[in-house]
């Protein structure tokens, strides 16, 4: 069930990442597309506006040439230029009509000035063509005023066009900022979801490790009971029968010596089985709490005479689960054996304390020490420290290791 949950959690993490990537990519594509459309639209507006001015200016030049040269055919070119100018104005109006929703305020003013420009061009064309039909040979003041009005209106139109483009760009920037804000919010939500999913995944992993430890503990207990009830009982029977035979064959010294040897071997085997059983399932923890068990472990090490061990539990109170007590007891035993066998230490201290809801086990010896950086190298952990770290992390705890050549070894274990 837990492996399935892990699989589904990983699927959810991937789905969240894909969903965020999709939104981010879609937002970037949308922004790029809108920006390209607006840029192309602005280029067309500027281009058509310049063409309007050029065509009106060309019409004015051709009109002057027609008047000077008294060429009536010049009016055909004049009409053509003004018709082109009006065509460009109509194209500008089409673009403005498509962008009413984008910049409604500026668009209204822009269309108004564009309409005035178109009216001015039509009026100017009408005056010129009217002068041609009536065979007027010179520009009168009415035409001059009409052309000056066109220049004034077109200048105002250009200012309006610039404002229109600026407001359009400003609105585009706002859209981009809003889009970036939305992407940022989606990113935060995605990170929050991923953090929760990862936390769920870590909890599931810890649960798997915790369940594994529980299963291991139950299996150790079962094996210990099987050894005690099975092999232990057989070895006890062998020792008992060998002693009975010793009494019956008391006159046969040769057979008696062999039976004594069998008795010694059975006792040694029974003692070895007892040690194995104790390692599999420390029976001391069934009779004593963790503090008393560690005190007896330290007393046992002191009785060996090769190393002095001090134990301090003055700052510890409360109880722990049996699995955690077993883990701490085994870790303490392994650390003491490491100090004795590998570190050549003659003094060690164990301190068990509790700070609020945290249990802390501090261990220090004055042994030869080693390079902590080399502990992570493959095949270099001869003292089983990596195994200790993994077991502590499996219950949500953490370890801090300190050591250097000649400065002993220190480890601090902390968990809830």
């Amino acid at each position: 069930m837990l492996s399935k949950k892990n699989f589904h959690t990983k699927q959810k993490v991937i789905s969240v990442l894909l969903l965020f990537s999709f939104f981010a990519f879609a937002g970037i594509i949308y922004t790029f597309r809108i920006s390209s459309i607006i840029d192309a639209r602005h280029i067309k507006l500027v281009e058509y506006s310049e063409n309007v001015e050029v065509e009106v200016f060309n019409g004015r030049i051709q009109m002057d040439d027609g008047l000077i040269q008294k060429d009536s055919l010049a009016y055909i070119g004049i009409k053509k230029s003004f018709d082109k100018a009006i065509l460009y104005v109509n194209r500008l109006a089409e673009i403005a009509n498509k962008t009413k929703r984008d910049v409604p305020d500026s668009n209204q003013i822009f269309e108004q000035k564009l309409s005035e420009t178109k009216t001015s061009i039509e009026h100017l064309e009408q005056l010129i063509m009217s002068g041609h039909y009536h065979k007027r040979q010179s520009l009168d003041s009415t035409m001059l005023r009409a052309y000056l009005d066109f220049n004034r209106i077109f200048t105002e139109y250009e200012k309006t066009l610039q404002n229109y483009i600026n407001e359009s760009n400003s609105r585009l920037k706002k859209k981009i900022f809003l889009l970036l804000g939305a992407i940022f919010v989606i990113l935060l939500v995605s990170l929050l979801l991923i953090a929760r999913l990862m936390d769920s995944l870590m909890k599931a992993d810890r649960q798997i490790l915790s369940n594994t430890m529980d299963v291991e503990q139950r299996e150790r207990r079962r094996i210990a009971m099987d050894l005690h009830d099975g092999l232990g009982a057989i070895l006890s029977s062998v020792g008992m029968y060998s002693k009975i035979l010793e009494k019956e064959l008391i006159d046969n010294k040769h057979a008696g010596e062999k039976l004594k040897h069998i008795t010694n071997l059975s006792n040694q085997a029974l003692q070895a089985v007892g040690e194995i059983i104790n390692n599999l399932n420390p029976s001391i923890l069934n009779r004593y709490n963790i503090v008393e068990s560690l005190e007896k472990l330290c007393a046992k090490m002191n009785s060996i005479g090769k190393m002095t061990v001090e134990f301090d539990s003055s700052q510890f109170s409360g109880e722990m689960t049996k699995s955690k007590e077993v883990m701490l007891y085994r870790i303490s035993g392994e650390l003491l054996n490491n100090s004795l066998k590998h570190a050549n230490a003659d003094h060690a201290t164990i301190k068990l304390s509790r700070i609020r809801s945290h249990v802390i086990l501090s261990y220090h010896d004055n042994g030869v020490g080693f390079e902590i950086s080399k502990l992570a190298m493959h095949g270099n952990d001869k003292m089983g420290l990596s195994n200790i770290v993994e077991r502590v992390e499996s219950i949500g705890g953490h370890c801090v290791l300190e050591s250097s050549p000649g400065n002993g070894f220190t480890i601090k274990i902390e968990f809830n």
Side-chain angles (χ1 to χ4, degrees):
M1 289 294 291
L2 286 173
S3 60
K4 273 189 176 181
K5 185 177 180 181
N6 283 357
F7 177 73
H8 290 313
T9 302
K10 291 175 182 178
Q11 276 189 327
K12 289 178 182 178
V13 171
I14 295 172
S15 299
V16 170
L17 290 174
L18 289 176
L19 191 63
F20 169 73
S21 301
F22 171 77
F23 277 113
F25 182 74
I28 292 170
I29 295 298
Y30 172 78
T31 303
F32 179 77
R33 181 175 175 275
I34 294 297
S35 178
S36 300
I37 291 173
I38 291 177
D39 287 343
R41 187 181 295 160
H42 291 170
I43 291 171
K44 286 292 184 182
L45 287 171
V46 174
E47 181 184 346
Y48 291 156
S49 298
E50 290 176 351
N51 289 340
V52 170
E53 187 177 22
V54 168
E55 293 300 335
V56 173
F57 184 70
N58 286 338
R60 170 66 186 275
I61 292 173
Q62 292 179 52
M63 181 181 65
D64 290 340
D65 291 343
L67 291 172
I68 294 171
Q69 298 174 8
K70 298 180 180 181
D71 183 6
S72 61
L73 294 175
Y75 285 91
I76 298 174
I78 295 171
K79 180 172 176 52
K80 188 176 180 180
S81 293
F82 277 96
D83 288 343
K84 283 185 178 179
I86 292 173
L87 176 63
Y88 287 127
V89 169
N90 290 333
R91 290 182 179 178
L92 288 168
E94 289 176 3
I95 295 175
N97 189 50
K98 292 179 180 178
T99 59
K100 282 184 177 180
R101 294 182 179 179
D102 296 337
V103 280
D105 297 334
S106 294
N107 187 275
Q108 186 177 0
I109 300 173
F110 176 72
E111 285 185 332
Q112 179 183 346
K113 292 299 179 183
L114 188 61
S115 177
E116 291 177 3
T117 302
K118 182 179 179 181
T119 303
S120 175
I121 295 170
E122 289 175 343
H123 179 62
L124 188 58
E125 181 184 13
Q126 185 180 5
L127 287 174
I128 293 171
M129 299 311 296
S130 172
H132 164 61
Y133 291 136
H134 291 89
K135 303 185 183 299
R136 297 172 66 176
Q137 301 296 321
S138 61
L139 281 172
D140 57 12
S141 59
T142 304
M143 290 184 179
L144 182 59
R145 282 198 303 271
Y147 189 75
L148 291 175
D149 285 341
F150 166 77
N151 285 334
R152 177 182 57 78
I153 292 171
F154 192 79
T155 301
E156 292 176 357
Y157 160 77
E158 286 183 321
K159 291 180 180 178
T160 305
L161 174 63
Q162 188 62 44
N163 291 334
Y164 174 82
I165 292 175
N166 290 338
E167 185 176 345
S168 180
N169 288 332
S170 176
R171 284 178 175 267
L172 176 62
K173 288 179 181 178
K174 287 180 180 179
K175 285 183 178 180
I176 292 174
F177 283 131
L178 286 173
L179 182 63
L180 290 175
I183 291 175
F184 181 71
V185 171
I186 293 172
L187 174 62
L188 290 179
V189 173
S190 300
L191 291 176
L192 180 62
L193 288 174
I194 290 172
R196 288 186 176 181
L197 290 171
M198 292 303 294
D199 183 61
S200 175
L201 185 63
M202 291 175 64
K203 286 180 178 178
D205 287 338
R206 288 176 182 173
Q207 187 63 39
I208 290 174
L209 290 171
S210 178
N211 290 347
T212 302
M213 290 180 63
D214 291 340
V215 171
E216 179 186 355
Q217 181 63 24
R218 287 198 298 270
E219 194 63 17
R220 283 173 176 266
R221 190 180 296 112
R222 185 188 65 79
I223 294 172
M225 291 177 63
D226 290 345
L227 286 174
H228 180 271
D229 297 338
L231 185 59
I234 293 173
L235 291 173
S236 296
S237 298
V238 170
M240 181 181 65
Y241 280 111
S242 63
K243 287 181 179 180
I244 293 173
L245 288 174
E246 280 183 45
K247 293 179 180 180
E248 293 180 356
L249 300 174
I250 193 170
D251 296 331
N252 191 338
K253 293 182 179 180
H254 184 68
E257 290 177 359
K258 290 182 179 180
L259 287 172
K260 284 183 180 180
H261 186 62
I262 292 173
T263 303
N264 291 333
L265 290 176
S266 65
N267 290 335
Q268 291 176 13
L270 191 60
Q271 185 178 359
V273 169
E275 291 177 357
I276 293 172
I277 292 172
N278 189 62
N279 290 331
L280 287 171
N281 183 36
S283 58
I284 191 172
L285 289 171
N286 296 327
R287 291 174 287 173
Y288 305 102
N289 59 34
I290 184 63
V291 173
E292 294 172 329
S293 299
L294 289 176
E295 286 176 348
K296 292 185 179 300
L297 177 63
C298 294
K300 181 180 178 182
M301 293 299 296
N302 288 328
S303 65
I304 297 175
K306 294 183 178 180
M307 183 172 67
T308 303
V309 183
E310 295 182 10
F311 177 65
D312 180 11
S313 62
S314 58
Q315 297 181 6
F316 178 81
S317 61
E319 297 179 352
M320 289 184 288
T321 61
K322 185 60 66 175
S323 60
K324 290 181 180 179
E325 287 186 349
V326 171
M327 185 192 70
L328 277 185
Y329 184 83
R330 285 178 180 155
I331 288 175
S332 300
E334 288 182 29
L335 292 172
L336 289 171
N337 286 330
N338 290 339
S339 298
L340 187 63
K341 295 179 181 179
H342 303 291
N344 297 323
D346 58 14
H347 185 268
T349 58
I350 300 176
K351 183 178 180 180
L352 183 64
S353 58
R354 182 193 294 272
I355 300 177
R356 293 185 293 276
S357 61
H358 289 253
V359 175
I360 301 171
L361 178 73
S362 301
Y363 179 88
H364 174 74
D365 67 30
N366 63 348
V368 296
F370 59 92
E371 289 287 349
I372 291 290
S373 58
K374 294 181 179 180
L375 183 65
M377 296 174 61
H378 295 293
N380 199 47
D381 185 9
K382 297 179 180 179
M383 296 183 291
L385 292 176
S386 296
N387 186 35
I388 291 175
V389 172
E390 288 177 2
R391 276 187 282 171
V392 173
E393 290 179 348
S394 70
I395 60 170
H398 68 275
C399 302
V400 178
L401 286 75
E402 296 179 5
S403 183
S404 60
N407 293 318
F409 168 73
T410 300
I411 183 172
K412 183 179 179 181
I413 298 169
E414 183 176 349
F415 56 87
N416 288 328

